[in-house]
Amino acid sequence: MKGRPLIVWTVGWIAGSSLAYTFSGFRLYLIWAGVALLLSIPVLLQRKLLKSMLIAWVALALSGIYWGWNDARNVTELPKALGEDASSMNGLMLQAEGVIVSQVDVDGDRADLQVQLQKVEMMDSAGSGSSGPSESSQRLQERVIVQVKLLSKEQQAEAGQWQRGDRIELSGTIEYPSTARNFGGFDYASYLRTQCIHWIYKVKGIQNVQISPGSLWSTLTILRWNDHTRTLLGDKIGQIFQEPHAGYMKGLLIGMKDDIDPETYMQFSQLGLTHILAISGMHVAVYIASLLFILSLFKVTREKSLLIVMLLIPVYMLLSGMSPSVVRAGIMSMIGLYAARKGWLKDGMNVLAAAALLMTLWNPYYLLNVSFQLSFLVTAGLMIYVPLVNPLLRFLPKRIAAAVGVTLVAQLVSFPLTIYYFNQFSLLSFAANFAVVPLITLLTLPLGSGSLLLGWIWLPAGKSAGWIIELLNNGIFRLIRWMNGYPQFVTIWKSPSLVWIMTYFALMYLFLYLASRHITAQGARLLDQRGTDETVDLEEGINVKDRTRPTSTVHKTRAALTGIMLSLIFLIYWEYRLPPLHGAGLVQFLDVGQGDSILITTPEGRNILVDGGGTVKFSKPQNTWKERKNPFEVGAKVLVPLLKQRGIHHLDAVIATHDHQDHVGGFQAVLEQIPVKAFMFNGTLDGTKAFDKLLNTATSRNIPVYAIHQDMKLQPDRQTEITFIAPVTEETEQEELPIEKDQNHISIAFLLTINERRLLFTGDMDKAAENDVLGLAATHQTSFTLPEGGIDVIKIAHHGSHSSSGEEWLDYWRPKAAVISAGVNNLYGHPHAEVVDRIAGRGTELFRTDRDGEVQMIIRQGDIQIRCKLNPCPK
């Protein structure tokens, strides 16, 4: 095939980069040698493959070297510039000078920007710069994330005037970006490293920031003009459309996703439609088609039209935000248009390979970008699989068959990466894409662009056109809400392995290839039976050799198809199921910052979530300007992604120990996104709107709600029993749930027995509640009894506060190990030193989420194995 070496080279290049990223040292050399042996096998079988295998091997080796060279250069210069050890620089106070190299994002009480530092010096404790010549004279080129805490509305307005290319002087502290604190959690430090960023520079108040104009002309000047243009376009879209349509159209037309209503984004996300809200090949295709149509109206020649569009594609790439997907589509479009203008062979796979090669040469870290991976994978999948699917859809009208084929292949190809990165897949995704994508491609995008153009000329005309688009959008939104009204079609998956993904694609290709040949051969035989000599359209994939295939071959093909389909079904089932614990129980103390969240999985696979963490807010009515568009929320950003990533299809029960935000705030996202079979709480309210909303969500989703008190028991399976020992309450009938402000005192506490091991969970119970339980135990007024030899593990109450975990309480239970859930450098000083000393004085092994990250305990008969995310734990 003409042009094949480029495809082989690109595949080898990407494979080599992937291996160099995954492995290092001797293991990498060993794997390279193994790949060389594997590539030699096809050569031994067929000599003409020697050239292709040699190209693949050279590309693989060179790309590994290139990746290693780039990765070795991706190191911070700050320690050398300051003469300090990197391990001791966290929290160091610095003065710095540099240039703003990104658009400034002002959101509530914070301004986020990227700065290229060019000069730094350390500050003493009084806040003044040091006089050492080495610090003040050392220059560098270090890109950092700068976060400026804004102290007033006036500061917010002033920060909004900062622009890319401005010179900036800063006084603040530098910090390490956070690493993953839970197994499988998001690693912010690794993500920033792919952008060559190693530090976060935190500044309090813009009095510690000095801004001055930058150079009159540089590359940043062009990008500043682009920022200004995008801002003007966004403002104009905001004038034409009302919310939530304005934010939606900003994302659709110019790639501004930050203004999209979070509820709208979540609705699209659950149906696998977020690719619509990201500028991609679909948008570029509409843009090119519109330009060519406009140029044809002015009688511009074909050659000039192609040249003009080629020159305007980079403009659109800039205006739409330069995401990897739009860069891929833009490069492919320019190469394709240039080839069309020159009359060269327009081979889509070669164009795609050239685009991938150019992007990874420019920035090897593109390879790790989700958008890059999905964009190239889906595009390549469409080129490879659609010709195989088309013969299977010949029973449909040609246009419908084409739309169904493209949508089906896009869903099948994107499925592995979708579940790998997002851990969910809607069975209605195909129907949603088939119905919505054509509407947006053929109507919303062209009409939206037209309304923006009209609005720029005459705003009332733009608003009139925008009103029509809003009607269309409302119809689309209603359709999406209706589809999302069937949550049973949303499936949750754990992240699959690379081997599973490769096996999936191989089986799918084999099935479609054999099925396509089988269908086309049947069509050929039908033509022969009719005694016709009609010529068969080669585009339908009919091979003349297949016309006379014997019946035995047909039977073998059908048997092979059946076997491949069964293998594919088994492969999908195998990945969907939860990995067996082989009779063990699993208790996971998740790191949710300053809060509690514990996932219990019983030996028979029951899942119980105790508390959901949460983000505590201290907002006041006069500080509404501080509110952010999409504030960080532990449930949506940490807890739900972790549960999905671990393949938790449903929760058999959630237990809200008490109505405090740092324990129940994350449950709202859990109830909205993960099926829950039972909701348990202490039977009281704190009077907060958040918990009222949580209960309303539970009842609206028909989740049974239970009020817990002492002496109640729950037996999830034969090896597991939960005995509730608190709150200690009097049984009285009440028409309404009582308001109880002292929620810590009536926190739920329970004893978990799993595989004959005992763990005590205490919520935030205070010493008075502890004494109540001890008093009842001493008078034998409750059903629980202290097991011989004490208990194995205790979850220390109230994050290690001195208001809990009294001497008598610890002496009573005599735990072998203790776990404290607390946030790093939290405002409350948890855990308090006296509690830590009290635990250590009893010889109890202590684990802390603020120090160790997530703590996992695998509980078998007679044994508990413990592992921690951040630090080594005893086995």
Side-chain angles (χ1 to χ4, degrees):
M1 181 175 108
K2 189 176 179 180
R4 183 177 176 182
L6 179 59
I7 300 173
V8 174
W9 178 275
T10 303
V11 171
W13 185 270
I14 291 175
S17 297
S18 302
L19 289 173
Y21 165 72
T22 308
F23 304 101
S24 61
F26 179 73
R27 291 182 66 189
L28 179 60
Y29 295 125
L30 194 63
I31 290 172
W32 276 349
V35 171
L37 290 175
L38 287 175
L39 292 176
S40 66
I41 294 175
V43 175
L44 295 175
L45 298 176
Q46 200 170 4
R47 286 288 180 181
K48 65 181 181 180
L49 293 176
L50 175 61
K51 180 180 177 181
S52 295
M53 295 301 101
L54 186 61
I55 290 173
W57 165 245
V58 172
L60 185 142
L62 289 180
S63 68
I65 296 171
Y66 184 68
W67 178 281
W69 176 70
N70 274 281
D71 205 52
R73 296 190 307 150
N74 185 10
V75 293
T76 176
E77 297 181 27
L78 271 180
K80 181 180 179 182
L82 296 170
E84 294 286 324
D85 184 15
S87 61
S88 62
M89 287 175 55
N90 195 43
L92 194 66
M93 298 180 66
L94 293 181
Q95 284 184 339
E97 298 178 16
V99 179
I100 299 175
V101 292
S102 72
Q103 191 167 12
V104 180
D105 179 24
V106 179
D107 186 11
D109 63 347
R110 199 172 86 182
D112 292 279
L113 56 151
Q114 292 184 23
V115 172
Q116 189 82 18
L117 298 183
Q118 297 173 341
K119 186 177 179 182
V120 293
E121 60 177 326
M122 288 190 293
M123 298 168 59
D124 57 29
S125 57
S128 60
S130 64
S131 57
S134 61
E135 289 87 0
S136 59
S137 60
Q138 183 68 50
R139 303 184 68 83
L140 75 163
Q141 292 293 322
E142 177 92 17
R143 180 174 292 214
V144 298
I145 293 284
V146 175
Q147 297 175 349
V148 182
K149 179 74 171 179
L150 305 175
L151 305 180
S152 66
K153 199 170 183 179
E154 291 72 25
Q155 289 194 358
Q156 183 189 59
E158 186 173 342
Q161 303 301 313
W162 301 345
Q163 298 182 72
R164 193 195 307 249
D166 286 345
R167 293 202 59 80
I168 187 170
E169 297 180 20
L170 304 160
S171 297
T173 59
I174 56 169
E175 295 182 3
Y176 305 128
S178 60
T179 58
R181 302 188 60 84
N182 293 282
F183 293 100
F186 177 65
D187 193 325
Y188 188 47
S190 296
Y191 167 73
L192 288 183
R193 190 175 184 276
T194 64
Q195 301 181 45
C196 300
I197 296 173
H198 305 276
W199 299 96
I200 296 177
Y201 199 129
K202 293 191 174 182
V203 180
K204 187 175 182 179
I206 62 173
Q207 67 272 13
N208 292 311
V209 180
Q210 299 295 325
I211 298 291
S212 59
S215 59
L216 293 177
W217 178 254
S218 67
T219 305
L220 292 176
T221 307
I222 299 174
L223 296 176
R224 181 197 296 213
W225 292 345
N226 183 63
D227 294 339
H228 183 64
T229 304
R230 280 169 56 83
T231 301
L232 291 177
L233 290 171
D235 292 343
K236 185 60 66 174
I237 292 172
Q239 295 173 9
I240 294 171
F241 299 97
Q242 299 179 350
E243 292 295 351
H245 303 280
Y248 171 71
M249 295 304 294
K250 287 179 187 179
L252 206 60
L253 296 178
I254 56 175
M256 284 186 172
K257 295 193 293 184
D258 291 343
D259 290 338
I260 299 175
D261 176 57
E263 178 65 23
T264 302
Y265 190 85
M266 189 182 75
Q267 294 278 345
F268 274 72
S269 177
Q270 291 200 166
L271 289 172
L273 293 169
T274 49
H275 63 92
I276 294 173
L277 305 176
I279 303 295
S280 61
M282 175 184 74
H283 302 73
V284 175
V286 172
Y287 174 75
I288 292 174
S290 301
L291 286 177
L292 290 174
F293 175 73
I294 293 171
L295 291 171
S296 68
L297 295 178
F298 290 92
K299 307 298 182 182
V300 180
T301 63
R302 177 177 178 273
E303 288 73 16
K304 288 185 178 179
S305 296
L306 294 175
L307 178 62
I308 292 171
V309 173
M310 281 176 56
L311 296 175
L312 290 179
I313 286 175
V315 176
Y316 182 72
M317 291 165 59
L318 281 169
L319 291 177
S320 58
M322 293 290 289
S323 69
S325 58
V326 77
V327 172
R328 187 272 307 163
I331 291 176
M332 286 189 66
S333 299
M334 286 189 288
I335 295 174
L337 290 171
Y338 185 78
R341 187 169 181 268
K342 290 292 186 178
W344 295 344
L345 177 66
K346 298 176 283 297
D347 187 331
M349 285 300 293
N350 277 288
V351 174
L352 183 67
L357 192 59
L358 287 172
M359 290 181 69
T360 51
L361 280 170
W362 174 259
N363 181 4
Y365 292 119
Y366 266 139
L367 190 63
L368 306 179
N369 186 280
V370 181
S371 179
F372 175 92
Q373 294 174 15
L374 279 170
S375 179
F376 277 93
L377 184 66
V378 172
T379 305
L382 291 173
M383 295 178 184
I384 295 170
Y385 290 106
V386 167
L388 302 178
V389 169
N390 283 340
L392 308 181
L393 302 174
R394 291 166 61 188
F395 62 92
L396 294 173
K398 196 166 185 179
R399 289 188 178 181
I400 296 178
V404 170
V406 169
T407 305
L408 181 62
V409 168
Q411 294 299 299
L412 291 174
V413 170
S414 63
F415 169 69
L417 283 190
T418 298
I419 64 173
Y420 181 86
Y421 286 110
F422 308 110
N423 302 112
Q424 71 176 28
F425 184 80
S426 174
L427 300 179
L428 297 176
S429 181
F430 170 79
N433 277 273
F434 184 75
V436 173
V437 171
L439 289 175
I440 292 177
T441 304
L442 301 176
L443 295 176
T444 307
L445 276 175
L447 292 176
S449 302
S451 65
L452 179 58
L453 183 61
L454 282 174
W456 208 273
I457 300 170
W458 189 38
L459 186 59
K463 285 185 174 182
S464 299
W467 178 78
I468 298 173
I469 297 170
E470 288 180 0
L471 292 177
L472 176 61
N473 289 344
N474 286 330
I476 293 174
F477 293 165
R478 279 194 293 270
L479 175 62
I480 290 173
R481 282 195 297 268
W482 177 75
M483 287 187 168
N484 278 317
Y486 298 91
Q488 60 270 27
F489 288 101
V490 178
T491 58
I492 296 174
W493 302 73
K494 63 181 183 292
S495 296
S497 66
L498 180 60
V499 172
W500 186 92
I501 293 174
M502 293 175 66
T503 305
Y504 169 88
F505 282 121
L507 288 175
M508 186 172 69
Y509 180 83
L510 284 173
F511 179 83
L512 293 177
Y513 176 77
L514 290 178
S516 176
R517 285 176 58 89
H518 181 65
I519 293 295
T520 53
Q522 281 187 326
R525 283 197 300 275
L526 285 174
L527 290 177
D528 288 338
Q529 290 171 5
R530 292 171 185 170
T532 179
D533 292 329
E534 295 179 20
T535 301
V536 179
D537 188 355
L538 292 178
E539 289 185 357
E540 297 295 331
I542 296 177
N543 191 330
V544 177
K545 295 179 181 179
D546 292 331
R547 290 175 178 263
T548 58
R549 291 203 307 171
T551 306
S552 60
T553 305
V554 174
H555 291 323
K556 288 179 182 179
T557 301
R558 290 176 177 173
L561 286 171
T562 303
I564 295 170
M565 176 56 72
L566 291 175
S567 300
L568 196 55
I569 292 172
F570 177 77
L571 184 76
I572 292 172
Y573 161 75
W574 186 264
E575 188 60 30
Y576 182 72
R577 70 185 182 92
L578 277 175
L581 294 173
H582 304 292
L586 178 62
V587 178
Q588 304 169 71
F589 296 86
L590 305 176
D591 188 344
V592 291
Q594 183 62 15
D596 277 12
S597 188
I598 305 151
L599 178 62
I600 300 169
T601 302
T602 71
E604 295 182 16
R606 305 289 188 269
N607 294 301
I608 300 168
L609 184 63
V610 182
D611 286 334
T615 307
V616 181
K617 300 177 182 178
F618 302 98
S619 59
K620 297 180 181 179
Q622 64 269 29
N623 291 332
T624 54
W625 66 272
K626 293 184 177 181
E627 296 179 1
R628 297 176 186 172
K629 300 171 190 173
N630 190 16
F632 177 82
E633 201 284 304
V634 168
K637 302 293 186 181
V638 178
L639 184 55
V640 168
L642 281 176
L643 295 176
K644 290 182 177 180
Q645 193 264 346
R646 295 173 191 194
I648 303 299
H649 305 141
H650 67 270
L651 292 166
D652 295 275
V654 297
I655 300 175
T657 58
H658 61 294
D659 180 9
H660 277 172
Q661 190 67 11
D662 59 335
H663 288 253
V664 300
F667 275 147
Q668 186 64 41
V670 171
L671 265 59
E672 289 175 350
Q673 299 190 50
I674 295 177
V676 174
K677 293 186 177 180
F679 184 88
M680 302 176 183
F681 74 121
N682 63 7
T684 69
L685 302 175
D686 189 23
T688 60
K689 293 181 179 179
F691 198 75
D692 292 343
K693 179 182 178 182
L694 185 63
L695 289 179
N696 289 334
T697 301
T699 54
S700 67
R701 293 176 178 264
N702 298 316
I703 300 172
V705 179
Y706 301 95
I708 300 300
H709 57 78
Q710 81 285 357
D711 289 343
M712 295 179 70
K713 288 190 176 183
L714 175 66
Q715 188 162 6
D717 60 29
R718 291 169 296 177
Q719 291 80 34
T720 309
E721 182 179 82
I722 292 175
T723 302
F724 293 98
I725 63 174
V728 178
T729 58
E730 297 180 1
E731 295 187 12
T732 58
E733 294 188 3
Q734 296 175 325
E735 294 184 359
E736 296 183 355
L737 292 174
I739 302 295
E740 178 59 62
K741 292 297 182 181
D742 191 4
Q743 285 286 314
N744 288 345
H745 182 69
I746 55 172
S747 182
I748 290 177
F750 63 89
L751 187 67
L752 169 69
T753 303
I754 184 168
N755 281 340
E756 299 181 0
R757 292 292 169 177
R758 295 168 175 84
L759 299 87
L760 182 66
F761 298 84
T762 56
D764 273 2
M765 65 190 308
D766 55 21
K767 289 181 181 178
E770 294 171 357
N771 292 333
D772 289 344
V773 172
L774 294 177
L776 289 174
T779 57
H780 304 288
Q781 296 181 30
T782 65
S783 61
F784 82 94
T785 56
L786 178 65
E788 289 186 16
I791 59 174
D792 295 282
V793 180
I794 182 172
K795 201 287 295 184
I796 296 297
H798 203 181
H799 322 293
S801 169
H802 55 62
S803 63
S804 305
S805 306
E807 301 273 0
E808 298 83 359
W809 183 254
L810 295 177
D811 289 338
Y812 186 88
W813 293 107
R814 305 194 308 279
K816 297 175 184 176
V819 179
I820 295 176
S821 182
V824 179
N825 299 324
N826 62 83
L827 298 175
Y828 311 96
H830 293 158
H832 291 149
E834 60 190 89
V835 176
V836 174
D837 293 341
R838 198 178 299 154
I839 295 168
R842 286 163 173 76
T844 301
E845 187 77 33
L846 178 61
F847 303 93
R848 298 166 44 174
T849 58
D850 63 327
R851 180 192 64 197
D852 305 319
E854 179 186 352
V855 179
Q856 291 188 352
M857 297 184 177
I858 302 174
I859 304 169
R860 297 183 175 89
Q861 294 282 350
D863 179 46
I864 298 181
Q865 291 184 329
I866 303 175
R867 68 169 185 159
C868 305
K869 172 59 180 168
L870 300 181
N871 295 307
C873 289
K875 298 295 182 184

